[in-house]
Amino acid sequence: MSFPSPLIINLAPTGMVPVRSQSPHIPLSPEEIIADAVLCAQQGASMFHLHARDADGVPTDDAATYESIIRGIRAYSPELIIVTTTSGRRSPEVEKRASSLRLSDSLRPDMASLTLGSMNFSRQASLNAPDTIVQLAGIMQELGIKPELEVFDLGMVNFAKVLIDKGLLKPPYYFNIILGNPATAQAKLLHLAAIVGDLPPDSIWSLGGIGRYQTTANGLGVVMAHGVRTGLEDNLWLDDERTTLATNAQLVARVAAQAKALGRPIATAPTVRTMLGLASSTSPKDIA
């Protein structure tokens, strides 16, 4: 079997929604998130899509909390790729959403999420007005942070092309395609094919799934994509019957085992940096 590249494993360990009452395995404090990142890096994860929580476990925009998490992960391995959120699920204010970007130079993330349109989740809306997306992309460009382009539906791919035309995105482009959300594209080959078929040239894409669709999406990603996104942000369960709560390390290990069974190598963090045009940990950031 021929694969497009070694497999990128992108871990989303926490998110904004899961709480400790739903699973004891959700990492909430900086120390817990760092410990999970280290375990998952040892299983093969090279990218870490981070959300911070405050002392009460509530999502926070606090820059110092992000710096604490990033400092701990980079102390283990400075080559790991750090991605911070600019989610639209809590606030429409651009500067609040950009708080995890404006960190001190040594702790600035390599990448940041950029959702390319508004949508409904099962119980909540994610609001991403066109001007907000443009402003966030501009801030990322100014700070040398590469966007992690989050796509939940076909129209979001087209908005990436709008940003390319504005000069706000530079290749190679990195897309996370997320399937299975009730109000957007489903974990079906027809939906995936339409999205992938419309990606711009020089695109690197990973595949994730919401809830019970994570297993299907990750399996498709191991076979077809440049990478997969997995983690407790998207899915709390190890099995589709929802009898066993997962840990982040188990979810990463399952993806790594699938890749090994198919003879596909796992991409190391330095390899991913090369694929995405990211500076090495010892060099100044340069994503042009």
Short mmCIF file of all heavy atoms in Angstrom, two decimals, residues 134-158:
data_model
loop_
_atom_site.label_atom_id
_atom_site.label_comp_id
_atom_site.label_asym_id
_atom_site.label_seq_id
_atom_site.Cartn_x
_atom_site.Cartn_y
_atom_site.Cartn_z
N VAL A 134 -10.55 36.76 9.20
CA VAL A 134 -9.51 37.54 8.52
C VAL A 134 -8.58 38.19 9.54
O VAL A 134 -7.34 38.16 9.39
CB VAL A 134 -10.14 38.59 7.59
CG1 VAL A 134 -9.09 39.59 7.11
CG2 VAL A 134 -10.82 37.91 6.40
N GLN A 135 -9.16 38.77 10.60
CA GLN A 135 -8.32 39.41 11.61
C GLN A 135 -7.42 38.41 12.33
O GLN A 135 -6.23 38.68 12.56
CB GLN A 135 -9.20 40.14 12.63
CG GLN A 135 -9.88 41.38 12.10
CD GLN A 135 -10.65 42.09 13.19
OE1 GLN A 135 -10.08 42.56 14.17
NE2 GLN A 135 -11.97 42.16 13.03
N LEU A 136 -7.97 37.26 12.69
CA LEU A 136 -7.16 36.25 13.37
C LEU A 136 -6.04 35.75 12.45
O LEU A 136 -4.90 35.57 12.89
CB LEU A 136 -8.03 35.08 13.82
CG LEU A 136 -8.94 35.36 15.02
CD1 LEU A 136 -9.94 34.23 15.21
CD2 LEU A 136 -8.13 35.57 16.29
N ALA A 137 -6.35 35.53 11.18
CA ALA A 137 -5.32 35.12 10.23
C ALA A 137 -4.23 36.17 10.13
O ALA A 137 -3.03 35.84 10.04
CB ALA A 137 -5.94 34.85 8.86
N GLY A 138 -4.62 37.45 10.16
CA GLY A 138 -3.64 38.52 10.08
C GLY A 138 -2.73 38.56 11.31
O GLY A 138 -1.52 38.80 11.19
N ILE A 139 -3.31 38.32 12.49
CA ILE A 139 -2.51 38.29 13.71
C ILE A 139 -1.52 37.13 13.66
O ILE A 139 -0.33 37.28 14.01
CB ILE A 139 -3.41 38.19 14.94
CG1 ILE A 139 -4.22 39.48 15.10
CG2 ILE A 139 -2.59 37.93 16.21
CD1 ILE A 139 -5.34 39.38 16.14
N MET A 140 -1.98 35.97 13.21
CA MET A 140 -1.09 34.82 13.09
C MET A 140 0.06 35.11 12.13
O MET A 140 1.23 34.80 12.40
CB MET A 140 -1.88 33.59 12.63
CG MET A 140 -2.87 33.07 13.65
SD MET A 140 -3.80 31.65 13.02
CE MET A 140 -5.20 31.66 14.15
N GLN A 141 -0.27 35.74 11.00
CA GLN A 141 0.77 36.08 10.03
C GLN A 141 1.78 37.05 10.64
O GLN A 141 2.99 36.89 10.49
CB GLN A 141 0.12 36.67 8.79
CG GLN A 141 1.11 36.93 7.65
CD GLN A 141 0.39 37.43 6.41
OE1 GLN A 141 -0.17 38.52 6.42
NE2 GLN A 141 0.39 36.63 5.35
N GLU A 142 1.28 38.05 11.36
CA GLU A 142 2.14 39.05 12.00
C GLU A 142 3.10 38.41 13.01
O GLU A 142 4.27 38.80 13.11
CB GLU A 142 1.26 40.08 12.72
CG GLU A 142 1.99 41.05 13.63
CD GLU A 142 1.04 41.76 14.57
OE1 GLU A 142 -0.19 41.77 14.31
OE2 GLU A 142 1.53 42.30 15.57
N LEU A 143 2.62 37.39 13.73
CA LEU A 143 3.41 36.77 14.79
C LEU A 143 4.20 35.55 14.33
O LEU A 143 4.91 34.93 15.13
CB LEU A 143 2.48 36.37 15.95
CG LEU A 143 1.78 37.52 16.67
CD1 LEU A 143 0.78 36.99 17.68
CD2 LEU A 143 2.80 38.42 17.36
N GLY A 144 4.10 35.19 13.06
CA GLY A 144 4.83 34.03 12.55
C GLY A 144 4.26 32.71 13.03
O GLY A 144 5.01 31.75 13.25
N ILE A 145 2.93 32.65 13.21
CA ILE A 145 2.25 31.44 13.66
C ILE A 145 1.47 30.86 12.49
O ILE A 145 0.69 31.57 11.85
CB ILE A 145 1.30 31.78 14.84
CG1 ILE A 145 2.11 32.26 16.04
CG2 ILE A 145 0.43 30.58 15.20
CD1 ILE A 145 1.26 32.84 17.15
N LYS A 146 1.67 29.60 12.22
CA LYS A 146 1.00 28.97 11.07
C LYS A 146 -0.41 28.55 11.46
O LYS A 146 -0.60 27.89 12.48
CB LYS A 146 1.80 27.75 10.61
CG LYS A 146 1.33 27.19 9.26
CD LYS A 146 2.21 26.02 8.84
CE LYS A 146 1.92 25.63 7.39
NZ LYS A 146 2.41 26.61 6.42
N PRO A 147 -1.42 28.89 10.67
CA PRO A 147 -2.78 28.47 10.99
C PRO A 147 -2.98 26.96 10.83
O PRO A 147 -2.49 26.34 9.88
CB PRO A 147 -3.64 29.22 9.97
CG PRO A 147 -2.80 30.38 9.54
CD PRO A 147 -1.39 29.86 9.55
N GLU A 148 -3.67 26.38 11.80
CA GLU A 148 -4.21 25.04 11.69
C GLU A 148 -5.65 25.24 11.20
O GLU A 148 -6.52 25.65 11.96
CB GLU A 148 -4.17 24.34 13.04
CG GLU A 148 -4.78 22.96 13.06
CD GLU A 148 -5.05 22.47 14.49
OE1 GLU A 148 -5.77 23.18 15.23
OE2 GLU A 148 -4.56 21.40 14.84
N LEU A 149 -5.88 25.00 9.93
CA LEU A 149 -7.14 25.35 9.28
C LEU A 149 -8.18 24.27 9.58
O LEU A 149 -8.07 23.13 9.11
CB LEU A 149 -6.92 25.51 7.78
CG LEU A 149 -5.88 26.58 7.41
CD1 LEU A 149 -5.45 26.43 5.97
CD2 LEU A 149 -6.43 27.97 7.69
N GLU A 150 -9.19 24.64 10.37
CA GLU A 150 -10.20 23.66 10.78
C GLU A 150 -11.39 23.74 9.84
O GLU A 150 -12.02 24.79 9.68
CB GLU A 150 -10.62 23.92 12.23
CG GLU A 150 -9.46 23.68 13.20
CD GLU A 150 -9.94 23.34 14.59
OE1 GLU A 150 -11.10 23.64 14.93
OE2 GLU A 150 -9.14 22.76 15.34
N VAL A 151 -11.69 22.60 9.24
CA VAL A 151 -12.74 22.49 8.23
C VAL A 151 -13.77 21.47 8.68
O VAL A 151 -13.44 20.31 8.94
CB VAL A 151 -12.13 22.08 6.87
CG1 VAL A 151 -13.21 21.63 5.91
CG2 VAL A 151 -11.33 23.23 6.28
N PHE A 152 -15.01 21.91 8.77
CA PHE A 152 -16.12 21.02 9.13
C PHE A 152 -17.09 20.82 7.97
O PHE A 152 -17.99 20.00 8.07
CB PHE A 152 -16.89 21.60 10.32
CG PHE A 152 -16.14 21.56 11.63
CD1 PHE A 152 -15.13 22.47 11.88
CD2 PHE A 152 -16.45 20.63 12.59
CE1 PHE A 152 -14.44 22.46 13.09
CE2 PHE A 152 -15.77 20.60 13.80
CZ PHE A 152 -14.76 21.52 14.05
N ASP A 153 -16.91 21.59 6.90
CA ASP A 153 -17.83 21.49 5.76
C ASP A 153 -17.16 22.07 4.53
O ASP A 153 -16.14 22.78 4.63
CB ASP A 153 -19.13 22.23 6.05
CG ASP A 153 -20.37 21.39 5.75
OD1 ASP A 153 -20.27 20.51 4.88
OD2 ASP A 153 -21.41 21.62 6.39
N LEU A 154 -17.74 21.80 3.37
CA LEU A 154 -17.10 22.15 2.11
C LEU A 154 -16.88 23.65 1.95
O LEU A 154 -15.83 24.10 1.45
CB LEU A 154 -17.93 21.61 0.94
CG LEU A 154 -17.38 21.82 -0.46
CD1 LEU A 154 -15.99 21.20 -0.62
CD2 LEU A 154 -18.34 21.23 -1.49
N GLY A 155 -17.86 24.46 2.36
CA GLY A 155 -17.71 25.91 2.20
C GLY A 155 -16.51 26.48 2.94
O GLY A 155 -15.97 27.52 2.55
N MET A 156 -16.08 25.81 4.01
CA MET A 156 -14.93 26.30 4.76
C MET A 156 -13.64 26.17 3.93
O MET A 156 -12.72 26.98 4.09
CB MET A 156 -14.81 25.55 6.09
CG MET A 156 -15.97 25.82 7.03
SD MET A 156 -15.69 25.07 8.65
CE MET A 156 -17.28 25.40 9.43
N VAL A 157 -13.57 25.17 3.07
CA VAL A 157 -12.42 25.07 2.17
C VAL A 157 -12.38 26.29 1.26
O VAL A 157 -11.31 26.86 1.00
CB VAL A 157 -12.48 23.77 1.34
CG1 VAL A 157 -11.34 23.73 0.33
CG2 VAL A 157 -12.44 22.55 2.25
N ASN A 158 -13.54 26.69 0.76
CA ASN A 158 -13.56 27.85 -0.12
C ASN A 158 -13.11 29.11 0.59
O ASN A 158 -12.44 29.97 0.01
CB ASN A 158 -14.96 28.07 -0.69
CG ASN A 158 -14.95 29.03 -1.86
OD1 ASN A 158 -14.37 28.75 -2.90
ND2 ASN A 158 -15.57 30.19 -1.68
#
